[in-house]
Amino acid sequence: CDDTDGSAYPGASESSGDGVDSDCDGYDVNTQSCLSESVEDALDYVSYWTYGVADASGSEYFGAVNWYIWAQTLYVDGNSTSTTPTSDAMVYDVELGTYLAMNDYYDPYYVEVEVLGSSEYCYGWIDWTTLNFVGDVELIVDGSDVTGYADLSAGSTITESDITLESIYGGSCNLSLIDSALDYAGYGGLLDFQEEAVNNVVDALASELEDEIEWYVDYNCAE
């Protein structure tokens, strides 16, 4: 693309801001390099975060069914990132891998239910599970300014085997009784209830990751 410069040709390595469009894409910016750095920075920023989940309770059938869940806390830790070019030079597929957990043995959440006179009082936690955020980032280069627009989504991958429940009084917890109480409340059981709670946080985290990627693109990709 520049017959006077033998270092400028399609596929050449781009050095941002050196005054030469080395790879002949029309921009003096190494877009994949600065975007990869921005995605990694965004994941680092939200790693080791904790999210408090609002307490929840209910009473159905004129007090015959009562339930209360409290002290739930979600933990997020970063794992890996990938940035992959697409057919559009300014659009990249991205993936941010995280780990997600709810409480732990030393700091559990609590569940109390009463169904038709039978009651159960338990504590529990959710082990670390993989949660991947996937989507794309579109870059817009305007002179020395580079703007990114990120779009990410993810869904909870919690399974019943990830949930540990123990009775306050010793032994295993009566999960069927808890499921019955939450089923009366309109949920499909404890797993359904916790997936909804987790996904509310996951949606908020996806939005936070989008904002952070866009901020770091502006910071890392400036020529």
Side-chain angles (χ1 to χ4, degrees), residues 50-56 69 71-77 98-103 109 125-133 153-160 162-163 187 189-207:
T50 61
Y51 299 83
V53 179
D55 297 343
I69 300 177
Q72 290 177 296
T73 303
L74 283 171
Y75 299 91
V76 176
D77 193 8
T98 72
Y99 296 117
L100 180 79
M102 179 181 284
N103 299 81
Y109 63 86
W125 62 91
I126 296 176
D127 294 324
W128 289 102
T129 183
T130 301
L131 178 68
N132 293 331
F133 293 84
S153 63
S156 169
T157 57
I158 293 173
T159 65
E160 202 164 286
D162 296 320
I163 302 173
Y187 297 96
L190 181 63
L191 178 61
D192 185 47
F193 173 83
Q194 289 189 321
E195 280 189 330
E196 181 173 313
V198 168
N199 280 326
N200 287 337
V201 175
V202 167
D203 289 342
L205 181 56
S207 179

Side-chain angles (χ1 to χ4, degrees), residues 15 28 37 42 54 62 76 93 96 107 127 132 137 159 178 180 200:
S15 296
D28 182 19
E37 182 181 3
F62 305 100
V76 176
D93 291 331
L96 298 87
D107 183 24
D127 294 324
N132 293 331
V137 179
T159 65
I178 295 174
S180 295
N200 287 337

Side-chain angles (χ1 to χ4, degrees), residues 6-206:
S7 66
Y9 55 88
S13 178
E14 182 68 75
S15 296
S16 299
D18 64 357
V20 179
D21 177 17
S22 301
D23 60 2
C24 303
D25 66 354
Y27 307 103
D28 182 19
V29 180
N30 188 332
T31 52
Q32 183 169 1
S33 176
C34 71
L35 176 58
S36 294
E37 182 181 3
S38 299
V39 172
E40 291 172 3
D41 288 342
L43 185 60
D44 287 343
Y45 183 76
V46 302
S47 291
Y48 310 110
W49 276 22
T50 61
Y51 299 83
V53 179
D55 297 343
S57 62
S59 180
E60 281 75 41
Y61 297 98
F62 305 100
V65 177
N66 300 283
W67 59 278
Y68 182 30
I69 300 177
W70 71 100
Q72 290 177 296
T73 303
L74 283 171
Y75 299 91
V76 176
D77 193 8
N79 177 21
S80 63
T81 65
S82 67
T83 304
T84 306
T86 68
S87 58
D88 186 332
M90 290 293 104
V91 178
Y92 291 83
D93 291 331
V94 298
E95 181 171 345
L96 298 87
T98 72
Y99 296 117
L100 180 79
M102 179 181 284
N103 299 81
D104 57 31
Y105 174 81
Y106 301 99
D107 183 24
Y109 63 86
Y110 297 91
V111 182
E112 185 175 5
V113 301
E114 181 182 2
V115 179
L116 302 175
S118 297
S119 60
E120 190 67 69
Y121 187 30
C122 307
Y123 62 93
W125 62 91
I126 296 176
D127 294 324
W128 289 102
T129 183
T130 301
L131 178 68
N132 293 331
F133 293 84
V134 296
D136 59 61
V137 179
E138 179 182 3
L139 299 177
I140 297 176
V141 181
D142 182 11
S144 61
D145 294 328
V146 182
T147 305
Y149 295 95
D151 183 20
L152 301 174
S153 63
S156 169
T157 57
I158 293 173
T159 65
E160 202 164 286
S161 63
D162 296 320
I163 302 173
T164 299
L165 281 177
E166 301 289 344
S167 173
I168 292 293
Y169 307 110
S172 60
C173 199
N174 188 342
L175 181 58
S176 62
L177 191 65
I178 295 174
D179 283 344
S180 295
L182 291 172
D183 187 54
Y184 283 121
Y187 297 96
L190 181 63
L191 178 61
D192 185 47
F193 173 83
Q194 289 189 321
E195 280 189 330
E196 181 173 313
V198 168
N199 280 326
N200 287 337
V201 175
V202 167
D203 289 342
L205 181 56

